[in-house]
Amino acid sequence: MKKFLKEIARKIVRGAIYAYCKIIHRVKIEGQENIPLDEPLIYCGNHRTYLDPPLIVVTAKRHVRFMAKIELKKNPFFAFLGVVFDGIYVNRDSKDITAIKTVLKALKNGECVALFPEGTRNGIEKGEKVKDGAAFFAMRSGAKVMPVGISGGTGKFDKVTIRYGKPLDFSTYDKNDKDVLDKITEEIMENIKKLAKIMEG
Protein backbone atom coordinates (compact mmCIF):
# COMPACT_ATOMS: atom_id res chain seq x y z
CA MET A 1 0.00 0.00 0.00
CA LYS A 2 2.88 2.36 0.82
CA LYS A 3 4.30 1.93 -2.68
CA PHE A 4 0.84 2.51 -4.20
CA LEU A 5 0.35 5.73 -2.23
CA LYS A 6 3.79 6.95 -3.29
CA GLU A 7 2.89 6.32 -6.93
CA ILE A 8 -0.28 8.38 -6.51
CA ALA A 9 1.62 11.19 -4.79
CA ARG A 10 4.27 11.07 -7.51
CA LYS A 11 1.67 11.53 -10.27
CA ILE A 12 0.00 14.42 -8.44
CA VAL A 13 3.27 16.22 -7.67
CA ARG A 14 4.62 15.62 -11.18
CA GLY A 15 1.43 17.04 -12.67
CA ALA A 16 1.56 20.11 -10.43
CA ILE A 17 5.22 20.83 -11.22
CA TYR A 18 4.63 20.29 -14.94
CA ALA A 19 1.71 22.74 -14.88
CA TYR A 20 3.83 25.29 -13.01
CA CYS A 21 6.65 24.97 -15.54
CA LYS A 22 4.28 25.29 -18.48
CA ILE A 23 2.30 28.24 -17.11
CA ILE A 24 4.98 30.25 -15.32
CA HIS A 25 7.98 29.48 -17.55
CA ARG A 26 6.18 28.50 -20.78
CA VAL A 27 8.56 25.54 -20.93
CA LYS A 28 9.30 24.14 -24.37
CA ILE A 29 10.42 20.51 -24.52
CA GLU A 30 12.54 19.15 -27.37
CA GLY A 31 14.03 15.75 -28.14
CA GLN A 32 11.88 13.54 -25.91
CA GLU A 33 11.73 11.07 -28.79
CA ASN A 34 15.44 10.41 -28.15
CA ILE A 35 14.79 8.92 -24.71
CA PRO A 36 14.91 5.08 -24.55
CA LEU A 37 12.11 3.68 -22.40
CA ASP A 38 13.44 0.20 -21.72
CA GLU A 39 16.97 0.54 -20.34
CA PRO A 40 18.84 2.27 -17.50
CA LEU A 41 19.90 5.84 -18.16
CA ILE A 42 22.09 8.47 -16.55
CA TYR A 43 20.54 11.90 -17.18
CA CYS A 44 23.12 14.69 -17.20
CA GLY A 45 22.25 18.35 -17.62
CA ASN A 46 23.62 21.84 -17.08
CA HIS A 47 22.66 23.41 -13.76
CA ARG A 48 21.45 27.01 -13.61
CA THR A 49 18.66 27.29 -11.03
CA TYR A 50 16.69 25.29 -8.47
CA LEU A 51 14.10 24.68 -11.20
CA ASP A 52 16.44 22.35 -13.12
CA PRO A 53 16.01 19.12 -11.09
CA PRO A 54 12.18 19.16 -10.97
CA LEU A 55 12.09 20.24 -14.62
CA ILE A 56 14.06 17.16 -15.66
CA VAL A 57 12.00 14.93 -13.36
CA VAL A 58 8.70 15.94 -14.98
CA THR A 59 9.89 15.88 -18.61
CA ALA A 60 12.21 12.84 -18.61
CA LYS A 61 9.44 10.36 -19.62
CA ARG A 62 10.90 7.99 -17.01
CA HIS A 63 10.95 7.77 -13.22
CA VAL A 64 14.23 9.51 -12.44
CA ARG A 65 16.09 9.37 -9.13
CA PHE A 66 18.10 12.54 -8.64
CA MET A 67 21.45 12.72 -6.88
CA ALA A 68 21.44 15.76 -4.61
CA LYS A 69 23.58 17.26 -1.88
CA ILE A 70 22.45 16.17 1.57
CA GLU A 71 22.03 19.81 2.64
CA LEU A 72 18.84 20.01 0.58
CA LYS A 73 17.13 17.84 3.19
CA LYS A 74 16.98 20.98 5.34
CA ASN A 75 14.58 22.55 2.83
CA PRO A 76 11.06 21.13 3.47
CA PHE A 77 10.03 21.33 -0.20
CA PHE A 78 13.12 19.57 -1.55
CA ALA A 79 13.03 17.06 1.30
CA PHE A 80 9.45 16.23 0.28
CA LEU A 81 10.47 15.83 -3.37
CA GLY A 82 13.30 13.56 -2.25
CA VAL A 83 10.84 11.24 -0.53
CA VAL A 84 8.33 11.21 -3.38
CA PHE A 85 10.90 10.70 -6.14
CA ASP A 86 13.35 8.44 -4.23
CA GLY A 87 16.16 10.98 -4.18
CA ILE A 88 19.74 9.84 -3.57
CA TYR A 89 21.50 12.19 -1.18
CA VAL A 90 25.25 12.71 -1.29
CA ASN A 91 27.59 13.96 1.40
CA ARG A 92 29.97 16.09 -0.65
CA ASP A 93 32.45 16.48 2.21
CA SER A 94 33.50 12.84 1.98
CA LYS A 95 33.62 9.96 -0.47
CA ASP A 96 30.03 8.80 -0.03
CA ILE A 97 30.29 5.05 -0.68
CA THR A 98 26.65 4.47 0.27
CA ALA A 99 25.40 6.88 -2.40
CA ILE A 100 27.71 5.34 -5.01
CA LYS A 101 26.43 1.84 -4.23
CA THR A 102 22.81 3.06 -4.35
CA VAL A 103 23.29 4.57 -7.81
CA LEU A 104 25.03 1.48 -9.21
CA LYS A 105 22.33 -0.79 -7.79
CA ALA A 106 19.58 1.38 -9.28
CA LEU A 107 21.21 1.30 -12.73
CA LYS A 108 21.74 -2.46 -12.47
CA ASN A 109 18.00 -2.80 -11.77
CA GLY A 110 17.16 -0.85 -14.94
CA GLU A 111 16.33 2.42 -13.20
CA CYS A 112 17.29 5.96 -14.20
CA VAL A 113 19.35 8.43 -12.19
CA ALA A 114 20.14 12.07 -12.83
CA LEU A 115 22.96 14.35 -11.80
CA PHE A 116 24.67 17.59 -12.74
CA PRO A 117 28.34 17.14 -13.78
CA GLU A 118 28.96 20.79 -12.83
CA GLY A 119 28.39 19.79 -9.21
CA THR A 120 26.87 23.17 -8.38
CA ARG A 121 24.73 25.87 -9.98
CA ASN A 122 26.43 27.74 -12.83
CA GLY A 123 29.59 25.69 -12.47
CA ILE A 124 30.44 26.19 -16.15
CA GLU A 125 30.31 29.98 -15.81
CA LYS A 126 32.34 29.86 -12.60
CA GLY A 127 35.01 27.83 -14.38
CA GLU A 128 34.86 25.04 -11.81
CA LYS A 129 36.25 21.59 -12.62
CA VAL A 130 33.54 19.29 -13.91
CA LYS A 131 32.93 16.19 -11.78
CA ASP A 132 33.50 12.76 -13.37
CA GLY A 133 30.71 10.97 -11.48
CA ALA A 134 28.57 10.42 -14.59
CA ALA A 135 31.54 8.95 -16.47
CA PHE A 136 32.32 6.66 -13.53
CA PHE A 137 28.74 5.38 -13.32
CA ALA A 138 28.56 4.88 -17.08
CA MET A 139 31.75 2.81 -17.12
CA ARG A 140 30.86 0.76 -14.05
CA SER A 141 27.24 0.06 -15.03
CA GLY A 142 27.27 0.10 -18.84
CA ALA A 143 24.29 2.48 -18.78
CA LYS A 144 23.99 5.10 -21.49
CA VAL A 145 24.16 8.81 -20.70
CA MET A 146 21.24 11.05 -21.68
CA PRO A 147 22.57 14.60 -22.21
CA VAL A 148 20.16 17.40 -21.31
CA GLY A 149 20.47 21.09 -22.14
CA ILE A 150 18.45 23.78 -20.39
CA SER A 151 18.39 27.31 -21.81
CA GLY A 152 16.41 30.52 -21.60
CA GLY A 153 15.94 33.05 -18.86
CA THR A 154 16.40 32.39 -15.16
CA GLY A 155 13.79 34.81 -13.85
CA LYS A 156 10.40 33.80 -12.48
CA PHE A 157 8.43 34.38 -15.68
CA ASP A 158 11.21 33.84 -18.22
CA LYS A 159 10.69 31.28 -20.96
CA VAL A 160 12.74 28.09 -20.62
CA THR A 161 13.63 25.36 -23.13
CA ILE A 162 14.80 21.88 -22.21
CA ARG A 163 16.41 19.68 -24.87
CA TYR A 164 17.17 15.96 -24.75
CA GLY A 165 19.96 14.75 -27.01
CA LYS A 166 20.83 11.32 -28.33
CA PRO A 167 21.88 8.79 -25.66
CA LEU A 168 25.65 8.41 -25.41
CA ASP A 169 27.06 4.88 -25.34
CA PHE A 170 30.54 4.48 -23.82
CA SER A 171 30.62 0.68 -23.77
CA THR A 172 33.42 0.59 -26.37
CA TYR A 173 35.78 2.74 -24.32
CA ASP A 174 38.90 1.09 -22.90
CA LYS A 175 38.39 0.68 -19.16
CA ASN A 176 42.13 0.30 -18.71
CA ASP A 177 42.81 3.75 -20.11
CA LYS A 178 43.70 5.91 -17.09
CA ASP A 179 42.35 8.99 -18.85
CA VAL A 180 39.03 7.42 -19.85
CA LEU A 181 36.94 9.20 -17.19
CA ASP A 182 38.23 12.60 -18.34
CA LYS A 183 37.55 11.74 -21.98
CA ILE A 184 33.99 10.61 -21.26
CA THR A 185 33.31 13.62 -19.02
CA GLU A 186 34.52 15.96 -21.75
CA GLU A 187 32.27 14.31 -24.34
CA ILE A 188 29.27 14.47 -22.01
CA MET A 189 29.84 18.17 -21.32
CA GLU A 190 30.32 19.00 -25.00
CA ASN A 191 26.91 17.45 -25.73
CA ILE A 192 25.29 19.29 -22.83
CA LYS A 193 26.75 22.63 -23.94
CA LYS A 194 25.49 22.16 -27.50
CA LEU A 195 22.00 21.32 -26.25
CA ALA A 196 22.02 24.25 -23.82
CA LYS A 197 23.49 26.49 -26.52
CA ILE A 198 26.31 27.52 -24.20
CA MET A 199 28.98 29.39 -26.12
CA GLU A 200 32.54 29.60 -24.84
CA GLY A 201 35.37 31.92 -25.72
Side-chain angles (χ1 to χ4, degrees), residues 64-104:
V64 177
R65 301 182 64 182
F66 241 101
M67 293 190 73
K69 60 183 180 181
I70 199 167
E71 290 84 355
L72 286 179
K73 274 190 171 184
K74 297 177 182 178
N75 181 299
F77 176 68
F78 287 107
F80 171 71
L81 291 182
V83 172
V84 174
F85 293 102
D86 301 320
I88 302 172
Y89 289 100
V90 182
N91 186 344
R92 299 190 298 179
D93 295 329
S94 64
K95 191 172 183 179
D96 198 332
I97 302 299
T98 300
I100 292 173
K101 288 182 177 179
T102 300
V103 171
L104 292 174

Side-chain angles (χ1 to χ4, degrees), residues 13-179:
V13 174
R14 184 180 282 118
I17 295 175
Y18 183 82
Y20 171 84
C21 290
K22 274 291 188 179
I23 295 171
I24 302 300
H25 294 285
R26 295 163 289 158
V27 168
K28 182 179 180 182
I29 309 165
E30 299 178 0
Q32 280 184 314
E33 68 278 4
N34 294 324
I35 303 174
L37 302 179
D38 56 356
E39 60 183 283
L41 291 173
I42 303 167
Y43 287 76
C44 292
N46 58 308
H47 195 13
R48 312 174 317 148
T49 72
Y50 281 114
L51 177 68
D52 302 331
L55 179 58
I56 291 176
V57 165
V58 301
T59 61
K61 293 181 69 175
R62 307 279 300 274
H63 170 45
V64 177
R65 301 182 64 182
F66 241 101
M67 293 190 73
K69 60 183 180 181
I70 199 167
E71 290 84 355
L72 286 179
K73 274 190 171 184
K74 297 177 182 178
N75 181 299
F77 176 68
F78 287 107
F80 171 71
L81 291 182
V83 172
V84 174
F85 293 102
D86 301 320
I88 302 172
Y89 289 100
V90 182
N91 186 344
R92 299 190 298 179
D93 295 329
S94 64
K95 191 172 183 179
D96 198 332
I97 302 299
T98 300
I100 292 173
K101 288 182 177 179
T102 300
V103 171
L104 292 174
K105 183 178 179 181
L107 293 171
K108 183 179 179 181
N109 292 336
E111 298 181 58
C112 299
V113 298
L115 54 87
F116 296 115
E118 292 171 87
T120 186
R121 292 191 307 280
N122 300 309
I124 295 175
E125 291 182 13
K126 295 174 183 176
E128 295 191 10
K129 179 175 172 55
V130 177
K131 307 296 187 292
D132 62 7
F136 171 80
F137 292 131
M139 289 302 293
R140 288 293 298 271
S141 69
K144 294 176 183 176
V145 172
M146 173 57 59
V148 185
I150 303 173
S151 61
T154 57
K156 188 171 182 179
F157 295 102
D158 291 339
K159 187 175 181 179
V160 173
T161 299
I162 180 167
R163 300 179 183 87
Y164 290 92
K166 301 282 187 180
L168 306 174
D169 185 356
F170 299 107
S171 60
T172 60
Y173 277 58
D174 182 4
K175 294 182 180 180
N176 297 316
D177 182 350
K178 62 183 179 65
D179 297 321

